[in-house]
Amino acid sequence: MRIKAVCVAALLMLARFAWGDTVSGVVTDNNRMPVKDATVWLWQERGIRFATTGDAGIFRFENAVAGPSHVVARREGLAMGGADVYVLGDTDVSLQLGDQATLTLRVVDREFNPVEGAYIKSVYVSDTFGVPIWELAEHGFPSTRSDADGVIAISCLPLKGHVSLIIYHAEYAETRLPYLPITEKRQPVQLSPGVPVRGRVVSPDRKAVANARVVVYKQSGSGRRDFAERFTDPEGFYNLRVEPGEYFVDVRHPKFAGPLLPVLTVPESEPVTADVQLVAPARLRGKVVGPEGKPAAGVPLRYYIEDRFYDERLSRNDGTFDLTIPAGDGLLRVVPPEGYVTASAADIPVHLEHARDVQMTPIELKALPVIEGRVLGPDGTPQPGVLLSTRNIEPPFWGITDADGHFSVRITKPPEGLKAAFRAEHGLRFLRKDFEVDLRDAAKPREVVLEPFEPDLSRPEPAPGENDLVGLLDVKAPEPIVDMWFNSEPLTVDSFKRKVVVLTLWAGFDTIGPTRDRMYELCALHTLFKEEGDVVFLGIHDNGSEGDEIKQFIEKYGIAFPVARDVEQFTTFSRYNTAKIPQTVLIDRAGRIRFVEVNGRLLELIKSLRREK
């Protein structure tokens, strides 16, 4: 590969097109010794199985289903371990059970009275694995309810981690807690009573439908978010609670299709009745194949009606799929695995009027191309040390051209329209070129010729909701007050006189958003400037994480520059008026803050400050 890829966010993850039917692995303790008599649960498509490890700590599940899965292991006296895996063929999973900790919550109502009988519906541990406790509890996983004082003690959590979780109670709206550090301190949780939404689900001939799944959700450009879920009782009735607002209601049952219901408006206090009559089902069948016609397992296929998400299925191990949908017009969207694209259109119009069972022609996938080329200067000479980045791909790619100016990039997630936008910018000179590559015609190497440009040195007012650091511009940068250092001995901003300082306030729990993208960008820029000696990169992590956890974040991103942890009172974050992360500030050679809005222009701003004397 003829590129120095630095902190590359878009890693190559080629899907495997093969039959496979086992999920297996070994459970060990902190000393890498096998753990005997641990219970291991496998959760797939609302189907749950469990196994017990033997002397060698080994577990094995046959006939696994292709697609996303939770694997969770637990044994008394140890912290639980787990992994979220995407099963494609035989899958090996190693689970480690370490030292355990207990997270204690006190659940109260709006008047701060204790709430008895609340329980944890699901928990996500340290951004690593999910535990669907509500469903696993029927298969031996411990379920903990709040006592008369409203206290829930969640044991067997990993020491020095964090969790996100959902709390359920029949008389309150479901409550989501996006981030809680696992600490000995008891943490309060306030529930909202919500507004009752109830109704009855009946069949096309108006008979009661039991065990129908009713979900109240919202849909936005970022996807669907479920707010409440219930199953109907033997008489077809359901009862749930949500906060006031506008929602969609989705009803599913294996024998029927759910109708496309209008928006449900939930007022401030009045209960809402939403009865649902299911409709006769139509069935859409098909198969997804990869290169050479091999079955493609675990490929998401999403069905839309009138631009609204209706249902999703994953192709099976043999590549086949089927959806139970209402008759009428719709759209089938194929979501290829990373590294692949559909051979024809990914959005397939569907018309089911009279035919109730339709077999589609096979959907073919092909590998995305490797984009190769060379970056040249205005005089035609090869340009090493050019920062190459993608502009419309999530997550973005960052890399640096080699000594001959070459680059090679494999796109793993195709952008909309299959046209990838790139920027090539020289690391030291004001030369740049934005270019686009059509992924349907990317076989030939590219020659990218850099052009001179003027840097954008504007200092705009902060947008609504952003950090307001305008008052800090052109004044001496506040000294960070920290209690722990990583990758370095203790440092001070004052010690960096005559150097440009790139200071970033961040938190590692933001693993799929702007913080992730900024840290990968900083890693690439640190590599670009580390031999120059006049640019310093410094990260200040918030105080909400333990040192071991911050160290894991640093290792995950491959951060080589110094990182410090803010003190408990979030003093440094307050000094830099930072409530939203990430926040990067640029400090000039005189120690003054010069730029605080750097999105999309960080490299050109660094170069501008470097040329100041």
Side-chain angles (χ1 to χ4, degrees):
M1 185 173 181
R2 294 181 295 183
I3 186 169
K4 188 190 297 179
V6 186
C7 294
V8 178
L11 298 177
L12 175 59
M13 296 177 63
L14 290 181
R16 290 172 288 165
F17 298 102
W19 286 78
D21 58 1
T22 65
V23 175
S24 59
V26 62
V27 180
T28 60
D29 60 19
N30 276 343
N31 298 316
R32 301 293 181 183
M33 298 300 294
V35 175
K36 180 184 177 182
D37 295 329
T39 304
V40 183
W41 291 267
L42 172 66
W43 183 97
Q44 292 189 302
E45 289 190 351
R46 298 198 162 270
I48 297 171
R49 290 183 284 167
F50 63 94
T52 302
T53 58
D55 292 339
I58 294 173
F59 65 90
R60 184 181 181 88
F61 296 98
E62 301 284 353
N63 300 317
V65 179
S69 310
H70 299 294
V71 184
V72 180
R74 180 180 181 274
R75 202 194 76 173
E76 196 68 33
L78 296 173
M80 62 181 170
D84 286 355
V85 298
Y86 203 100
V87 176
L88 286 172
D90 294 341
T91 303
D92 183 68
V93 183
S94 296
L95 304 178
Q96 187 173 359
L97 310 187
D99 297 329
Q100 67 175 346
T102 298
L103 176 65
T104 304
L105 309 176
R106 187 170 187 267
V107 184
V108 297
D109 60 19
R110 283 185 172 174
E111 284 71 43
F112 299 97
N113 299 312
V115 175
E116 185 176 3
Y119 63 86
I120 308 300
K121 182 176 178 181
S122 64
V123 61
Y124 202 77
V125 181
S126 298
D127 296 322
T128 304
F129 64 97
V131 186
I133 296 178
W134 191 351
E135 292 156 296
L136 296 186
E138 299 180 5
H139 302 271
F141 195 92
S143 176
T144 306
R145 291 179 178 268
S146 57
D147 61 19
D149 294 323
V151 174
I152 299 178
I154 313 169
S155 61
C156 69
L157 292 174
L159 193 64
K160 299 180 180 179
H162 66 270
V163 297
S164 58
L165 49 84
I166 299 175
I167 297 179
Y168 168 81
H169 191 286
E171 297 178 7
Y172 297 87
E174 288 185 5
T175 299
R176 285 166 167 77
L177 303 176
Y179 180 84
L180 281 177
I182 300 172
T183 173
E184 295 178 357
K185 298 177 182 178
R186 179 181 295 182
Q187 306 193 51
V189 178
Q190 191 173 41
L191 302 185
S192 167
V195 179
V197 177
R198 50 203 178 206
R200 193 178 191 221
V201 178
V202 297
S203 64
D205 57 1
R206 298 191 176 278
K207 293 181 180 179
V209 176
N211 293 319
R213 178 173 174 252
V214 182
V215 180
V216 174
Y217 70 97
K218 289 186 177 182
Q219 183 174 318
S220 65
S222 59
R224 164 173 155 166
R225 180 183 174 189
D226 294 351
F227 280 81
E229 173 187 342
R230 297 293 182 276
F231 285 86
T232 56
D233 65 18
E235 297 301 319
F237 291 102
Y238 71 92
N239 193 334
L240 49 80
R241 289 174 179 261
V242 295
E243 292 289 318
E246 291 191 339
Y247 300 89
F248 295 109
V249 178
D250 181 29
V251 183
R252 290 285 181 268
H253 191 275
K255 294 183 179 179
F256 307 102
L260 194 69
L261 299 171
V263 173
L264 177 70
T265 300
V266 178
E268 288 290 336
S269 57
E270 292 296 321
V272 175
T273 299
D275 294 329
V276 179
Q277 183 176 1
L278 302 178
V279 299
R283 180 157 292 177
L284 183 67
R285 306 174 189 266
K287 186 175 184 178
V288 185
V289 296
E292 301 177 0
K294 294 181 179 179
V299 177
L301 299 112
R302 298 169 183 165
Y303 196 74
Y304 293 83
I305 301 176
E306 298 176 3
D307 295 327
R308 272 175 53 185
F309 174 83
Y310 180 82
D311 200 6
E312 178 179 276
R313 286 289 181 271
L314 301 174
S315 57
R316 305 182 184 94
N317 287 345
D318 63 354
T320 62
F321 67 89
D322 61 74
L323 292 104
T324 301
I325 54 179
D329 294 336
L331 180 77
L332 181 67
R333 177 165 296 161
V334 185
V335 184
E338 291 190 355
Y340 289 84
V341 66
T342 53
S344 54
D347 288 348
I348 305 171
V350 174
H351 181 73
L352 294 172
E353 192 59 47
H354 302 292
R356 292 287 179 174
D357 196 330
V358 173
Q359 180 72 41
M360 302 179 62
T361 57
I363 299 169
E364 298 181 26
L365 304 181
K366 63 179 183 180
L368 283 165
V370 175
I371 300 171
E372 295 185 298
R374 188 171 61 158
V375 178
L376 306 176
D379 59 356
T381 58
Q383 297 295 302
V386 173
L387 184 70
L388 190 76
S389 61
T390 53
R391 313 288 287 174
N392 63 341
I393 293 175
E394 179 67 25
F397 169 92
W398 301 91
I400 300 170
T401 56
D402 67 13
D404 297 317
H406 287 111
F407 65 86
S408 177
V409 181
R410 182 181 290 276
I411 301 298
T412 59
K413 290 186 177 180
E416 186 174 352
L418 294 180
K419 292 186 177 181
F422 289 86
R423 169 166 291 178
E425 182 169 349
H426 199 285
L428 305 178
R429 301 163 61 192
F430 288 97
L431 298 173
R432 185 166 72 193
K433 181 66 174 180
D434 292 338
F435 62 100
E436 190 175 76
V437 176
D438 190 329
L439 299 182
R440 289 163 293 201
D441 182 30
K444 62 180 181 180
R446 307 277 158 165
E447 278 203 348
V448 179
V449 180
L450 300 180
E451 301 171 351
F453 75 98
E454 289 296 321
D456 176 8
L457 303 182
S458 63
R459 300 199 293 191
E461 292 292 321
E466 299 297 322
N467 301 319
D468 186 354
L469 278 69
V470 172
L472 296 177
L473 289 172
D474 299 323
V475 301
K476 179 178 169 58
E479 191 66 49
I481 307 299
V482 299
D483 61 7
M484 193 175 295
W485 283 90
F486 308 85
N487 294 343
S488 174
E489 296 297 321
L491 302 169
T492 64
V493 170
D494 254 356
S495 67
F496 299 137
K497 289 293 179 60
R498 309 309 305 161
K499 295 184 179 181
V500 176
V501 180
V502 184
L503 186 148
T504 300
L505 299 102
W506 66 293
F509 62 79
D510 182 16
T511 58
I512 58 173
T515 298
R516 172 203 61 190
D517 298 345
R518 175 60 49 79
M519 301 318 290
Y520 283 131
E521 180 182 11
L522 292 172
C523 285
L525 291 172
H526 175 254
T527 299
L528 196 63
F529 285 107
K530 67 182 179 181
E531 301 300 330
E532 301 302 317
D534 63 345
V535 181
V536 175
F537 291 83
L538 178 62
I540 306 296
H541 195 283
D542 87 325
N543 190 262
S545 300
E546 298 290 339
D548 289 349
E549 191 175 12
I550 296 174
K551 186 176 180 181
Q552 291 177 3
F553 293 143
I554 291 172
E555 292 174 351
K556 175 180 178 179
Y557 290 119
I559 297 171
F561 53 81
V563 173
R565 185 179 72 169
D566 200 1
V567 293
E568 188 170 352
Q569 295 79 19
F570 295 94
T571 301
T572 306
F573 272 62
S574 297
R575 286 186 168 194
Y576 282 88
N577 200 25
T578 296
K580 182 178 180 181
I581 56 171
Q583 174 64 59
T584 296
V585 300
L586 292 183
I587 303 168
D588 65 14
R589 297 180 187 272
R592 300 169 301 180
I593 295 178
R594 294 287 299 282
F595 296 100
V596 297
E597 208 308 299
V598 302
N599 290 339
R601 57 182 185 140
L602 183 51
L603 176 55
E604 62 190 277
L605 292 177
I606 293 173
K607 289 187 292 187
S608 297
L609 293 180
R610 288 187 73 232
R611 71 179 179 180
E612 294 181 357
K613 301 300 182 182

